[in-house]
Amino acid sequence: RCKSPYFSNHYKIGPRMNPDQLRLSNNPRYQVYVSESGWGKNDRNNLLECLKSCVIEEKMSEALCKKRGREEEDLELYHEQLQSSPVEELFSEVDLESWTPLQWQEVVQSMSSLSALRSGPDCANQWNNYLSPRVNKDTWNSKEDGLLVQLVKKHGLNSWQLIASSLKTGRKGWQCLQRYQKIRGRPAAR
């Protein structure tokens, strides 16, 4: 039987936060949250819709800044065009991967359905590793598998981002790790 950690009492309550912890916990940049549940289809769709709204808002503010002589009808037409644009087209011009944690926190706060469940880093991770059109979601082919094995031999088992970029197929590091584990039939040692 496991004993309770030394820093909690018999009710499993830990000590109060010190002033530094309080300051950091109130700053969205430093909030750490691990989601308890996986991302469902509705969660992903909500995130995409919210990101679409944020990108449209960003593009509209750019258009307003450049307005100079444009009529309001032109801006309304531009807004309608943006609303009807496919998600991939909208996101192709915006680099969401370079957004700051504060920008992602704003996304979460604008999403009433997700704000209680997700954090900024959680949403950023979901976008960067799963939802982004830049992520290669195609099935792996034998040529990629062979190249992956060669790159792992060259770079080792701790350089998955480097391996993914060397692969030049739009795969992410975690995809390469998972594929390598599947090829080898066991988890890769770190």
Side-chain angles (χ1 to χ4, degrees):
R1 184 178 131 147
C2 294
K3 293 186 176 186
S4 61
Y6 73 94
F7 51 81
S8 64
N9 63 16
H10 62 283
Y11 296 112
K12 305 280 190 264
I13 297 174
R16 290 188 192 142
M17 286 190 194
N18 66 37
D20 193 44
Q21 287 174 308
L22 284 170
R23 181 180 57 81
L24 292 176
S25 70
N26 291 328
N27 186 336
R29 178 176 284 162
Y30 299 107
Q31 288 180 352
V32 177
Y33 177 82
V34 178
S35 64
E36 306 251 335
S37 62
W39 283 75
K41 191 173 185 174
N42 287 340
D43 290 338
R44 287 190 177 111
N45 289 338
N46 287 339
L47 178 60
L48 282 173
E49 283 303 312
C50 186
L51 288 173
K52 184 176 180 177
S53 299
C54 291
V55 169
I56 288 172
E57 186 178 314
E58 193 175 297
K59 288 185 178 227
M60 285 304 294
S61 33
E62 286 174 12
L64 283 171
C65 290
K66 296 176 184 176
K67 182 179 174 183
R68 299 188 185 134
R70 272 186 156 175
E71 296 296 322
E72 251 183 72
E73 295 91 29
D74 290 344
L75 289 175
E76 287 177 19
L77 181 64
Y78 180 60
H79 187 262
E80 288 174 17
Q81 287 174 343
L82 289 174
Q83 293 256 334
S84 62
S85 297
V87 174
E88 291 81 14
E89 186 180 309
L90 263 180
F91 294 138
S92 65
E93 301 167 15
V94 179
D95 186 17
L96 295 177
E97 291 176 13
S98 66
W99 275 19
T100 64
L102 220 49
Q103 287 171 301
W104 283 105
Q105 196 61 36
E106 289 171 11
V107 169
V108 171
Q109 290 170 351
S110 67
M111 298 176 70
S112 59
S113 61
L114 285 184
S115 60
L117 301 172
R118 306 293 177 193
S119 67
D122 202 11
C123 291
N125 179 50
Q126 189 63 214
W127 170 261
N128 292 330
N129 291 316
Y130 299 96
L131 298 176
S132 172
R134 295 179 184 157
V135 176
N136 183 350
K137 300 172 191 93
D138 297 336
T139 56
W140 287 76
N141 59 43
S142 57
K143 182 181 174 186
E144 274 184 306
D145 286 344
L147 187 55
L148 176 66
V149 171
Q150 287 176 352
L151 289 169
V152 169
K153 285 179 184 172
K154 180 179 178 183
H155 298 294
L157 295 171
N158 293 324
S159 305
W160 295 107
Q161 290 298 79
L162 176 63
I163 291 168
S165 62
S166 301
L167 210 64
K168 295 180 182 157
T169 58
R171 302 282 183 193
K172 293 289 183 173
W174 67 270
Q175 289 176 305
C176 294
L177 170 64
Q178 285 184 331
R179 184 61 183 179
Y180 186 75
Q181 289 175 343
K182 190 172 184 178
I183 290 171
R184 292 293 174 220
R186 64 186 187 284
R190 292 198 124 220

mmCIF file of all heavy atoms in Angstrom, residues 31-40 42-44 46-47 105 107-109 111-123 126:
data_model
loop_
_atom_site.group_PDB
_atom_site.id
_atom_site.type_symbol
_atom_site.label_atom_id
_atom_site.label_comp_id
_atom_site.label_asym_id
_atom_site.label_seq_id
_atom_site.Cartn_x
_atom_site.Cartn_y
_atom_site.Cartn_z
ATOM 1 N N GLN A 31 0.250 28.815 -16.409
ATOM 2 C CA GLN A 31 -0.701 27.828 -15.942
ATOM 3 C C GLN A 31 -0.457 26.503 -16.650
ATOM 4 O O GLN A 31 -0.336 26.454 -17.861
ATOM 5 C CB GLN A 31 -2.130 28.293 -16.177
ATOM 6 C CG GLN A 31 -2.520 29.401 -15.236
ATOM 7 C CD GLN A 31 -3.939 29.869 -15.463
ATOM 8 O OE1 GLN A 31 -4.592 29.470 -16.410
ATOM 9 N NE2 GLN A 31 -4.402 30.727 -14.576
ATOM 10 N N VAL A 32 -0.354 25.477 -15.873
ATOM 11 C CA VAL A 32 -0.139 24.145 -16.427
ATOM 12 C C VAL A 32 -1.390 23.340 -16.144
ATOM 13 O O VAL A 32 -1.898 23.322 -15.036
ATOM 14 C CB VAL A 32 1.084 23.467 -15.776
ATOM 15 C CG1 VAL A 32 1.255 22.065 -16.294
ATOM 16 C CG2 VAL A 32 2.325 24.287 -16.023
ATOM 17 N N TYR A 33 -1.878 22.691 -17.161
ATOM 18 C CA TYR A 33 -3.082 21.905 -16.996
ATOM 19 C C TYR A 33 -2.966 20.665 -17.859
ATOM 20 O O TYR A 33 -2.634 20.755 -19.034
ATOM 21 C CB TYR A 33 -4.310 22.716 -17.422
ATOM 22 C CG TYR A 33 -5.592 21.927 -17.345
ATOM 23 C CD1 TYR A 33 -6.256 21.782 -16.145
ATOM 24 C CD2 TYR A 33 -6.123 21.326 -18.471
ATOM 25 C CE1 TYR A 33 -7.425 21.060 -16.062
ATOM 26 C CE2 TYR A 33 -7.289 20.596 -18.400
ATOM 27 C CZ TYR A 33 -7.934 20.479 -17.193
ATOM 28 O OH TYR A 33 -9.085 19.756 -17.122
ATOM 29 N N VAL A 34 -3.195 19.546 -17.291
ATOM 30 C CA VAL A 34 -3.198 18.306 -18.044
ATOM 31 C C VAL A 34 -4.659 17.883 -18.169
ATOM 32 O O VAL A 34 -5.340 17.698 -17.170
ATOM 33 C CB VAL A 34 -2.371 17.215 -17.335
ATOM 34 C CG1 VAL A 34 -2.427 15.926 -18.110
ATOM 35 C CG2 VAL A 34 -0.949 17.680 -17.138
ATOM 36 N N SER A 35 -5.107 17.742 -19.393
ATOM 37 C CA SER A 35 -6.521 17.409 -19.574
ATOM 38 C C SER A 35 -6.788 16.000 -19.068
ATOM 39 O O SER A 35 -5.983 15.100 -19.234
ATOM 40 C CB SER A 35 -6.922 17.531 -21.042
ATOM 41 O OG SER A 35 -6.223 16.608 -21.808
ATOM 42 N N GLU A 36 -7.938 15.854 -18.473
ATOM 43 C CA GLU A 36 -8.310 14.570 -17.891
ATOM 44 C C GLU A 36 -8.858 13.612 -18.939
ATOM 45 O O GLU A 36 -8.784 12.422 -18.798
ATOM 46 C CB GLU A 36 -9.361 14.795 -16.803
ATOM 47 C CG GLU A 36 -8.922 15.795 -15.757
ATOM 48 C CD GLU A 36 -8.634 15.155 -14.438
ATOM 49 O OE1 GLU A 36 -9.185 14.089 -14.189
ATOM 50 O OE2 GLU A 36 -7.858 15.727 -13.668
ATOM 51 N N SER A 37 -9.443 14.175 -19.985
ATOM 52 C CA SER A 37 -10.062 13.312 -20.996
ATOM 53 C C SER A 37 -9.479 13.624 -22.363
ATOM 54 O O SER A 37 -8.915 14.685 -22.580
ATOM 55 C CB SER A 37 -11.573 13.544 -21.017
ATOM 56 O OG SER A 37 -11.839 14.887 -21.365
ATOM 57 N N GLY A 38 -9.633 12.680 -23.265
ATOM 58 C CA GLY A 38 -9.154 12.876 -24.614
ATOM 59 C C GLY A 38 -10.012 13.881 -25.375
ATOM 60 O O GLY A 38 -11.056 14.310 -24.913
ATOM 61 N N TRP A 39 -9.546 14.233 -26.518
ATOM 62 C CA TRP A 39 -10.275 15.172 -27.364
ATOM 63 C C TRP A 39 -11.266 14.400 -28.222
ATOM 64 O O TRP A 39 -10.861 13.541 -29.004
ATOM 65 C CB TRP A 39 -9.300 15.927 -28.261
ATOM 66 C CG TRP A 39 -8.568 17.012 -27.556
ATOM 67 C CD1 TRP A 39 -7.545 16.869 -26.681
ATOM 68 C CD2 TRP A 39 -8.816 18.409 -27.674
ATOM 69 N NE1 TRP A 39 -7.141 18.092 -26.246
ATOM 70 C CE2 TRP A 39 -7.887 19.058 -26.833
ATOM 71 C CE3 TRP A 39 -9.722 19.170 -28.402
ATOM 72 C CZ2 TRP A 39 -7.852 20.438 -26.709
ATOM 73 C CZ3 TRP A 39 -9.670 20.545 -28.278
ATOM 74 C CH2 TRP A 39 -8.750 21.170 -27.433
ATOM 75 N N GLY A 40 -12.523 14.728 -28.094
ATOM 76 C CA GLY A 40 -13.549 14.123 -28.919
ATOM 77 C C GLY A 40 -13.761 14.933 -30.188
ATOM 78 O O GLY A 40 -13.185 16.012 -30.373
ATOM 79 N N ASN A 42 -16.418 16.563 -31.132
ATOM 80 C CA ASN A 42 -17.047 17.851 -30.831
ATOM 81 C C ASN A 42 -16.034 18.862 -30.309
ATOM 82 O O ASN A 42 -16.079 20.039 -30.678
ATOM 83 C CB ASN A 42 -18.184 17.684 -29.818
ATOM 84 C CG ASN A 42 -19.401 17.040 -30.431
ATOM 85 O OD1 ASN A 42 -19.578 17.038 -31.647
ATOM 86 N ND2 ASN A 42 -20.244 16.478 -29.590
ATOM 87 N N ASP A 43 -15.111 18.402 -29.446
ATOM 88 C CA ASP A 43 -14.073 19.293 -28.927
ATOM 89 C C ASP A 43 -13.211 19.835 -30.062
ATOM 90 O O ASP A 43 -12.907 21.021 -30.117
ATOM 91 C CB ASP A 43 -13.170 18.557 -27.928
ATOM 92 C CG ASP A 43 -13.874 18.241 -26.627
ATOM 93 O OD1 ASP A 43 -14.871 18.916 -26.304
ATOM 94 O OD2 ASP A 43 -13.419 17.311 -25.934
ATOM 95 N N ARG A 44 -12.809 18.943 -30.966
ATOM 96 C CA ARG A 44 -11.970 19.369 -32.087
ATOM 97 C C ARG A 44 -12.714 20.354 -32.988
ATOM 98 O O ARG A 44 -12.142 21.354 -33.431
ATOM 99 C CB ARG A 44 -11.519 18.153 -32.894
ATOM 100 C CG ARG A 44 -10.471 17.343 -32.186
ATOM 101 C CD ARG A 44 -9.877 16.285 -33.108
ATOM 102 N NE ARG A 44 -8.829 15.570 -32.423
ATOM 103 C CZ ARG A 44 -8.909 14.311 -32.045
ATOM 104 N NH1 ARG A 44 -9.992 13.611 -32.289
ATOM 105 N NH2 ARG A 44 -7.907 13.738 -31.420
ATOM 106 N N ASN A 46 -15.181 22.329 -32.109
ATOM 107 C CA ASN A 46 -15.304 23.590 -31.376
ATOM 108 C C ASN A 46 -14.008 24.394 -31.454
ATOM 109 O O ASN A 46 -14.032 25.605 -31.644
ATOM 110 C CB ASN A 46 -15.672 23.347 -29.913
ATOM 111 C CG ASN A 46 -17.098 22.908 -29.745
ATOM 112 O OD1 ASN A 46 -17.941 23.135 -30.601
ATOM 113 N ND2 ASN A 46 -17.375 22.255 -28.627
ATOM 114 N N LEU A 47 -12.883 23.709 -31.302
ATOM 115 C CA LEU A 47 -11.596 24.390 -31.385
ATOM 116 C C LEU A 47 -11.389 24.967 -32.776
ATOM 117 O O LEU A 47 -10.974 26.119 -32.923
ATOM 118 C CB LEU A 47 -10.460 23.442 -31.016
ATOM 119 C CG LEU A 47 -9.048 24.023 -31.112
ATOM 120 C CD1 LEU A 47 -8.888 25.225 -30.188
ATOM 121 C CD2 LEU A 47 -8.004 22.966 -30.802
ATOM 122 N N GLN A 105 -4.323 31.202 -24.765
ATOM 123 C CA GLN A 105 -5.194 31.365 -23.609
ATOM 124 C C GLN A 105 -6.410 32.203 -23.981
ATOM 125 O O GLN A 105 -7.519 31.948 -23.525
ATOM 126 C CB GLN A 105 -4.419 32.008 -22.448
ATOM 127 C CG GLN A 105 -5.096 31.865 -21.115
ATOM 128 C CD GLN A 105 -5.286 30.416 -20.704
ATOM 129 O OE1 GLN A 105 -4.457 29.561 -20.969
ATOM 130 N NE2 GLN A 105 -6.395 30.127 -20.068
ATOM 131 N N VAL A 107 -7.796 32.227 -26.903
ATOM 132 C CA VAL A 107 -8.649 31.314 -27.666
ATOM 133 C C VAL A 107 -9.514 30.508 -26.709
ATOM 134 O O VAL A 107 -10.725 30.379 -26.886
ATOM 135 C CB VAL A 107 -7.806 30.358 -28.552
ATOM 136 C CG1 VAL A 107 -8.649 29.245 -29.122
ATOM 137 C CG2 VAL A 107 -7.122 31.125 -29.663
ATOM 138 N N VAL A 108 -8.879 29.978 -25.656
ATOM 139 C CA VAL A 108 -9.614 29.167 -24.679
ATOM 140 C C VAL A 108 -10.704 29.998 -24.010
ATOM 141 O O VAL A 108 -11.832 29.535 -23.849
ATOM 142 C CB VAL A 108 -8.649 28.591 -23.616
ATOM 143 C CG1 VAL A 108 -9.410 27.947 -22.487
ATOM 144 C CG2 VAL A 108 -7.728 27.575 -24.256
ATOM 145 N N GLN A 109 -10.381 31.227 -23.636
ATOM 146 C CA GLN A 109 -11.349 32.075 -22.957
ATOM 147 C C GLN A 109 -12.513 32.447 -23.860
ATOM 148 O O GLN A 109 -13.614 32.689 -23.384
ATOM 149 C CB GLN A 109 -10.670 33.324 -22.411
ATOM 150 C CG GLN A 109 -9.767 32.994 -21.244
ATOM 151 C CD GLN A 109 -8.881 34.139 -20.822
ATOM 152 O OE1 GLN A 109 -8.798 35.158 -21.497
ATOM 153 N NE2 GLN A 109 -8.195 33.970 -19.702
ATOM 154 N N MET A 111 -13.802 30.424 -25.921
ATOM 155 C CA MET A 111 -14.551 29.189 -26.142
ATOM 156 C C MET A 111 -15.262 28.802 -24.863
ATOM 157 O O MET A 111 -14.680 28.176 -23.999
ATOM 158 C CB MET A 111 -13.617 28.054 -26.549
ATOM 159 C CG MET A 111 -12.895 28.294 -27.830
ATOM 160 S SD MET A 111 -11.744 26.964 -28.169
ATOM 161 C CE MET A 111 -12.839 25.649 -28.527
ATOM 162 N N SER A 112 -16.500 29.183 -24.757
ATOM 163 C CA SER A 112 -17.231 28.879 -23.526
ATOM 164 C C SER A 112 -17.366 27.377 -23.305
ATOM 165 O O SER A 112 -17.345 26.896 -22.183
ATOM 166 C CB SER A 112 -18.605 29.533 -23.558
ATOM 167 O OG SER A 112 -19.328 29.072 -24.678
ATOM 168 N N SER A 113 -17.474 26.615 -24.378
ATOM 169 C CA SER A 113 -17.670 25.172 -24.222
ATOM 170 C C SER A 113 -16.404 24.446 -23.787
ATOM 171 O O SER A 113 -16.470 23.376 -23.213
ATOM 172 C CB SER A 113 -18.184 24.578 -25.530
ATOM 173 O OG SER A 113 -17.229 24.797 -26.547
ATOM 174 N N LEU A 114 -15.239 25.025 -24.061
ATOM 175 C CA LEU A 114 -13.992 24.341 -23.717
ATOM 176 C C LEU A 114 -13.252 24.971 -22.553
ATOM 177 O O LEU A 114 -12.359 24.361 -21.997
ATOM 178 C CB LEU A 114 -13.038 24.338 -24.913
ATOM 179 C CG LEU A 114 -13.350 23.395 -26.048
ATOM 180 C CD1 LEU A 114 -12.258 23.464 -27.083
ATOM 181 C CD2 LEU A 114 -13.510 21.985 -25.577
ATOM 182 N N SER A 115 -13.604 26.203 -22.191
ATOM 183 C CA SER A 115 -12.796 26.922 -21.216
ATOM 184 C C SER A 115 -12.682 26.196 -19.880
ATOM 185 O O SER A 115 -11.688 26.330 -19.190
ATOM 186 C CB SER A 115 -13.323 28.336 -21.013
ATOM 187 O OG SER A 115 -14.648 28.288 -20.557
ATOM 188 N N ALA A 116 -13.670 25.440 -19.498
ATOM 189 C CA ALA A 116 -13.593 24.728 -18.224
ATOM 190 C C ALA A 116 -12.764 23.446 -18.341
ATOM 191 O O ALA A 116 -12.295 22.932 -17.352
ATOM 192 C CB ALA A 116 -15.000 24.381 -17.750
ATOM 193 N N LEU A 117 -12.584 22.959 -19.557
ATOM 194 C CA LEU A 117 -11.920 21.673 -19.741
ATOM 195 C C LEU A 117 -10.497 21.773 -20.269
ATOM 196 O O LEU A 117 -9.701 20.875 -20.061
ATOM 197 C CB LEU A 117 -12.718 20.818 -20.733
ATOM 198 C CG LEU A 117 -14.157 20.517 -20.366
ATOM 199 C CD1 LEU A 117 -14.851 19.836 -21.529
ATOM 200 C CD2 LEU A 117 -14.211 19.633 -19.141
ATOM 201 N N ARG A 118 -10.182 22.839 -20.979
ATOM 202 C CA ARG A 118 -8.909 22.904 -21.697
ATOM 203 C C ARG A 118 -8.087 24.124 -21.311
ATOM 204 O O ARG A 118 -8.615 25.139 -20.902
ATOM 205 C CB ARG A 118 -9.176 22.954 -23.208
ATOM 206 C CG ARG A 118 -10.047 21.850 -23.727
ATOM 207 C CD ARG A 118 -9.381 20.514 -23.619
ATOM 208 N NE ARG A 118 -10.292 19.468 -24.074
ATOM 209 C CZ ARG A 118 -10.078 18.195 -23.866
ATOM 210 N NH1 ARG A 118 -9.025 17.791 -23.225
ATOM 211 N NH2 ARG A 118 -10.936 17.298 -24.289
ATOM 212 N N SER A 119 -6.793 24.005 -21.511
ATOM 213 C CA SER A 119 -5.890 25.121 -21.266
ATOM 214 C C SER A 119 -5.339 25.597 -22.608
ATOM 215 O O SER A 119 -5.499 24.918 -23.635
ATOM 216 C CB SER A 119 -4.742 24.685 -20.369
ATOM 217 O OG SER A 119 -3.931 23.756 -21.062
ATOM 218 N N GLY A 120 -4.658 26.721 -22.595
ATOM 219 C CA GLY A 120 -4.029 27.228 -23.814
ATOM 220 C C GLY A 120 -3.033 26.235 -24.396
ATOM 221 O O GLY A 120 -3.079 25.925 -25.590
ATOM 222 N N PRO A 121 -2.102 25.717 -23.559
ATOM 223 C CA PRO A 121 -1.145 24.738 -24.082
ATOM 224 C C PRO A 121 -1.816 23.477 -24.620
ATOM 225 O O PRO A 121 -1.361 22.878 -25.590
ATOM 226 C CB PRO A 121 -0.266 24.413 -22.877
ATOM 227 C CG PRO A 121 -0.367 25.609 -21.999
ATOM 228 C CD PRO A 121 -1.749 26.142 -22.204
ATOM 229 N N ASP A 122 -2.924 23.080 -24.001
ATOM 230 C CA ASP A 122 -3.672 21.908 -24.451
ATOM 231 C C ASP A 122 -4.208 22.144 -25.866
ATOM 232 O O ASP A 122 -4.097 21.285 -26.746
ATOM 233 C CB ASP A 122 -4.812 21.637 -23.481
ATOM 234 C CG ASP A 122 -5.319 20.218 -23.521
ATOM 235 O OD1 ASP A 122 -4.670 19.368 -24.147
ATOM 236 O OD2 ASP A 122 -6.365 19.954 -22.913
ATOM 237 N N CYS A 123 -4.780 23.328 -26.094
ATOM 238 C CA CYS A 123 -5.318 23.666 -27.422
ATOM 239 C C CYS A 123 -4.191 23.814 -28.442
ATOM 240 O O CYS A 123 -4.319 23.376 -29.585
ATOM 241 C CB CYS A 123 -6.141 24.947 -27.355
ATOM 242 S SG CYS A 123 -7.679 24.762 -26.436
ATOM 243 N N GLN A 126 -3.074 20.397 -29.440
ATOM 244 C CA GLN A 126 -4.058 19.761 -30.310
ATOM 245 C C GLN A 126 -3.932 20.303 -31.736
ATOM 246 O O GLN A 126 -3.974 19.550 -32.698
ATOM 247 C CB GLN A 126 -5.468 20.016 -29.759
ATOM 248 C CG GLN A 126 -6.543 19.231 -30.435
ATOM 249 C CD GLN A 126 -6.403 17.736 -30.277
ATOM 250 O OE1 GLN A 126 -6.763 17.020 -31.199
ATOM 251 N NE2 GLN A 126 -5.905 17.245 -29.171
#
